[in-house]
Amino acid sequence: MISLEGISFSYYNRIPALCDMSLGIKEGERFAIIGANGSGKSTLLQIMSGLIHQSEGKYFFKGREISEHALRDKGFLRFFRERVGYVFQDSDIQLFCPTVLDELLYGPMQLELKESEALDRAFEVMRILNIENLKDRPSYMLSGGEKKRVAIGSILTMNPEVLLLDEPTNGLDPRTQCFLVELMLALNDAGKTIVIATHDLSLVGELDAKVTVLSEDHRVVTTGRADDILKDESILLDVNLIHEHIHFHGKSSHSHLHSHYLFHRHKDRE
Ligand SMILES: Nc1ncnc2c1ncn2[C@@H]1O[C@H](COP(=O)(O)OP(=O)(O)O)[C@@H](O)[C@H]1O
Ligand SMILES: [Mg+2]
């Protein structure tokens, strides 16, 4: 679904952010990009979302090349935007409408859906995210966890095939983190491709994701299953995620509980 071939990017042509990165993400996969601060995770997600464009290399989405030039075509831009949703790390950047409901309607309106269809989607998403009671609130009157739900909701109402989530659980309370993990698993069950950028190793484990590890010099070190990567202390040490290791042990008991919770909830639903 997503194929990156030898992607490089520098900010202002002098601050390197990505060096010769290649990776592939299959349809329906749960995929995590991990690396220390500054390794290039957010930049990579922004390239995948078509917000910025690589200086070198090629990006293919469903076999079609994504470039500044290709996205100038309105029809193709729409094809791409309908299918790829990007959730910013900072919800405040993403939320700009007067109310939560307006936020959820914005995407469908951009896609020129009928108002009744847009409203149906907005209410369905509010139900799934349990934010119906926030419908008329402005975003500055929301907690961090509520903002994150609304930010994700504003993407879900466009019903994309791929969700790119930058540090989705960062700075959120354990209950909201747990909710988001369950949500990502449920969306993946429903066929959506989930791509996250994170340095939260326990999250990677809970999602049982395929993992690409980025180094501090902005290169892909390796790609593998979460199980194998999380066991590989030398790689985690090399890429400066070993500091997170303490964190990881501290959190792993939590993550186990979360998984049980998810499992039971999932069974209830069936
Ligand atoms: N807007 C920006 N302007 C200049 N440099 C940036 C900008 N955003 C990121 N960088 C630099 O690019 C590199 C990769 O950053 P980023 O993709 O944000 O990494 P991560 O998300 O892994 O923390 C870092 O060296 C960072 O300082
Ligand atoms: Mg980042």
Side-chain angles (χ1 to χ4, degrees):
M1 182 161 246
I2 286 178
S3 172
L4 302 179
E5 298 174 4
I7 296 283
S8 296
F9 180 86
S10 308
Y11 288 95
Y12 314 110
N13 288 322
R14 61 187 169 86
I15 304 168
L18 308 174
C19 297
D20 194 20
M21 286 189 185
S22 296
L23 59 91
I25 301 174
K26 295 198 184 89
E27 189 161 357
E29 222 160 29
R30 297 186 296 279
F31 200 95
I33 296 154
I34 67 171
N37 284 336
S39 57
K41 304 181 295 297
S42 297
T43 306
L44 192 56
L45 279 197
Q46 285 184 43
I47 288 196
M48 288 185 197
S49 71
L51 289 179
I52 59 175
H53 300 284
Q54 66 275 14
S55 20
E56 274 170 64
K58 286 195 187 295
Y59 170 19
F60 295 96
F61 175 75
K62 292 195 141 185
R64 292 160 220 229
E65 188 168 356
I66 304 301
S67 63
E68 200 167 358
H69 177 74
L71 293 180
R72 268 192 219 127
D73 181 279
K74 266 191 134 183
F76 187 64
L77 179 66
R78 186 189 160 125
F79 165 87
F80 183 68
R81 290 267 168 265
E82 272 178 342
R83 284 165 181 78
V84 180
Y86 175 58
V87 181
F88 286 79
Q89 175 173 358
D90 180 357
S91 304
D92 285 328
I93 296 178
Q94 196 155 353
L95 303 177
F96 56 88
C97 292
T99 69
V100 166
L101 180 60
D102 292 328
E103 213 69 71
L104 299 180
L105 291 174
Y106 186 82
M109 292 311 213
Q110 290 299 103
L111 298 179
E112 293 166 343
L113 296 185
K114 275 196 295 192
E115 197 181 334
S116 59
E117 167 73 11
L119 280 166
D120 282 352
R121 285 194 185 186
F123 279 89
E124 168 78 3
V125 163
M126 282 195 283
R127 194 182 55 73
I128 293 169
L129 297 176
N130 199 15
I131 52 173
E132 288 142 306
N133 57 326
L134 306 175
K135 179 168 76 70
D136 300 316
R137 287 240 198 123
S139 62
Y140 63 84
M141 286 193 192
L142 301 174
S143 72
E146 289 167 343
K147 281 181 188 171
K148 184 57 82 180
R149 286 176 200 234
V150 175
I152 292 175
S154 72
I155 299 306
L156 290 182
T157 50
M158 297 203 277
N159 198 23
E161 293 173 22
V162 183
L163 278 136
L164 308 169
L165 301 122
D166 197 356
E167 308 271 9
T169 57
N170 240 21
L172 301 175
D173 62 79
R175 194 147 50 95
T176 305
Q177 289 191 16
C178 177
F179 175 84
L180 291 178
V181 170
E182 185 189 4
L183 179 69
M184 286 187 270
L185 290 172
L187 290 169
N188 182 247
D189 262 356
K192 297 198 184 302
T193 307
I194 306 287
V195 184
I196 64 164
T198 188
H199 54 257
D200 181 347
L201 298 178
S202 66
L203 174 61
V204 170
E206 283 197 40
L207 286 177
D208 189 23
K210 191 164 170 193
V211 183
T212 277
V213 184
L214 306 188
S215 64
E216 288 185 291
D217 63 352
H218 320 294
R219 291 171 190 278
V220 170
V221 177
T222 186
T223 299
R225 296 301 322 167
D227 275 355
D228 298 323
I229 301 279
L230 296 178
K231 272 189 297 209
D232 197 330
E233 290 196 5
S234 76
I235 284 184
L236 298 177
L237 183 70
D238 274 356
V239 300
N240 197 20
L241 279 168
I242 200 78
H243 296 292
E244 304 293 331
H245 208 68
I246 301 160
H247 211 51
F248 174 50
H249 278 307
K251 274 188 167 178
S252 63
S253 58
H254 272 293
S255 65
H256 199 64
L257 279 177
H258 290 180
S259 300
H260 276 294
Y261 169 68
L262 296 176
F263 184 65
H264 288 300
R265 281 289 288 266
H266 195 69
K267 279 195 106 171
D268 286 343
R269 257 197 243 120
E270 281 167 0

Coordinates of all heavy atoms in Angstrom, one line a residue, residues 35-43 45-46 86 89 166-167 170 197-199, ligand 2:
G35 N 12.0 5.3 17.2 CA 13.3 6.0 17.2 C 13.3 7.0 18.2 O 12.3 7.5 18.7
A36 N 14.5 7.5 18.6 CA 14.7 8.5 19.6 C 14.2 9.8 19.1 O 13.9 10.0 17.9 CB 16.2 8.6 19.9
N37 N 14.1 10.8 20.0 CA 13.7 12.1 19.6 C 14.6 12.7 18.5 O 15.8 12.5 18.6 CB 13.7 13.1 20.8 CG 12.6 12.9 21.7 OD1 11.5 12.5 21.3 ND2 12.8 13.3 22.9
G38 N 14.0 13.2 17.4 CA 14.8 13.8 16.4 C 15.3 12.8 15.3 O 16.0 13.2 14.4
S39 N 14.9 11.6 15.5 CA 15.4 10.6 14.5 C 14.7 10.7 13.1 O 15.2 10.2 12.1 CB 15.2 9.1 15.0 OG 13.8 8.9 15.4
G40 N 13.5 11.4 13.1 CA 12.8 11.6 11.8 C 11.4 11.0 11.7 O 10.8 11.1 10.6
K41 N 10.9 10.5 12.8 CA 9.6 9.8 12.8 C 8.5 10.8 12.2 O 7.7 10.4 11.3 CB 9.2 9.4 14.2 CG 10.2 8.4 14.8 CD 9.7 8.0 16.2 CE 9.6 9.1 17.3 NZ 10.8 9.8 17.6
S42 N 8.4 12.0 12.8 CA 7.3 12.9 12.4 C 7.5 13.3 10.9 O 6.5 13.4 10.2 CB 7.3 14.1 13.3 OG 7.0 13.8 14.6
T43 N 8.7 13.6 10.5 CA 9.0 13.9 9.2 C 8.6 12.8 8.2 O 8.0 13.1 7.2 CB 10.5 14.2 9.0 OG1 10.9 15.2 10.0 CG2 10.8 14.8 7.6
L45 N 6.3 10.5 8.7 CA 4.8 10.5 8.6 C 4.3 11.6 7.7 O 3.3 11.4 7.0 CB 4.2 10.6 10.0 CG 4.1 9.3 10.9 CD1 3.1 9.5 12.0 CD2 3.7 8.1 10.1
Q46 N 4.9 12.8 7.8 CA 4.4 13.9 7.0 C 4.7 13.7 5.6 O 3.9 14.1 4.7 CB 5.1 15.2 7.5 CG 4.5 15.7 8.8 CD 5.0 17.0 9.3 OE1 5.2 17.9 8.5 NE2 5.3 17.1 10.6
Y86 N -4.2 11.7 8.5 CA -3.0 12.0 9.3 C -3.4 12.7 10.6 O -4.1 13.7 10.6 CB -2.0 12.9 8.5 CG -0.8 13.4 9.3 CD1 0.1 12.5 9.8 CD2 -0.6 14.7 9.4 CE1 1.2 12.9 10.5 CE2 0.6 15.2 10.1 CZ 1.4 14.3 10.6 OH 2.6 14.7 11.3
Q89 N 0.6 15.0 16.1 CA 1.0 14.7 17.5 C 0.3 15.7 18.4 O -0.2 15.4 19.4 CB 2.5 14.8 17.7 CG 2.9 14.7 19.1 CD 4.4 14.7 19.3 OE1 5.2 14.7 18.3 NE2 4.9 14.6 20.5
D166 N 0.8 10.3 14.8 CA 2.1 10.7 15.3 C 2.0 10.7 16.8 O 1.2 11.5 17.4 CB 2.4 12.0 14.8 CG 3.9 12.3 15.0 OD1 4.6 11.5 15.6 OD2 4.4 13.4 14.5
E167 N 2.7 9.9 17.5 CA 2.8 9.8 19.0 C 1.3 9.8 19.6 O 1.0 10.7 20.4 CB 3.6 11.0 19.6 CG 4.9 11.1 19.0 CD 6.0 10.3 19.7 OE1 5.7 9.5 20.6 OE2 7.2 10.5 19.4
N170 N 1.0 9.9 23.5 CA 1.9 10.8 24.3 C 1.1 11.7 25.2 O 0.2 12.4 24.8 CB 2.7 11.6 23.3 CG 4.2 11.4 23.5 OD1 4.5 10.3 24.0 ND2 5.0 12.3 23.1
A197 N 3.9 6.6 14.7 CA 5.2 7.0 15.1 C 5.3 7.1 16.6 O 4.4 7.7 17.1 CB 5.6 8.3 14.4
T198 N 6.2 6.5 17.2 CA 6.2 6.5 18.7 C 7.6 6.2 19.2 O 8.4 5.6 18.5 CB 5.2 5.6 19.3 OG1 5.1 5.8 20.7 CG2 5.6 4.1 19.0
H199 N 7.9 6.6 20.5 CA 9.0 6.0 21.2 C 8.5 5.2 22.4 O 9.3 4.9 23.2 CB 10.1 7.1 21.5 CG 9.5 8.2 22.3 ND1 9.2 9.4 21.8 CD2 9.1 8.3 23.6 CE1 8.7 10.2 22.7 NE2 8.7 9.6 23.8
Ligands
MG2 MG 8.0 13.5 16.3

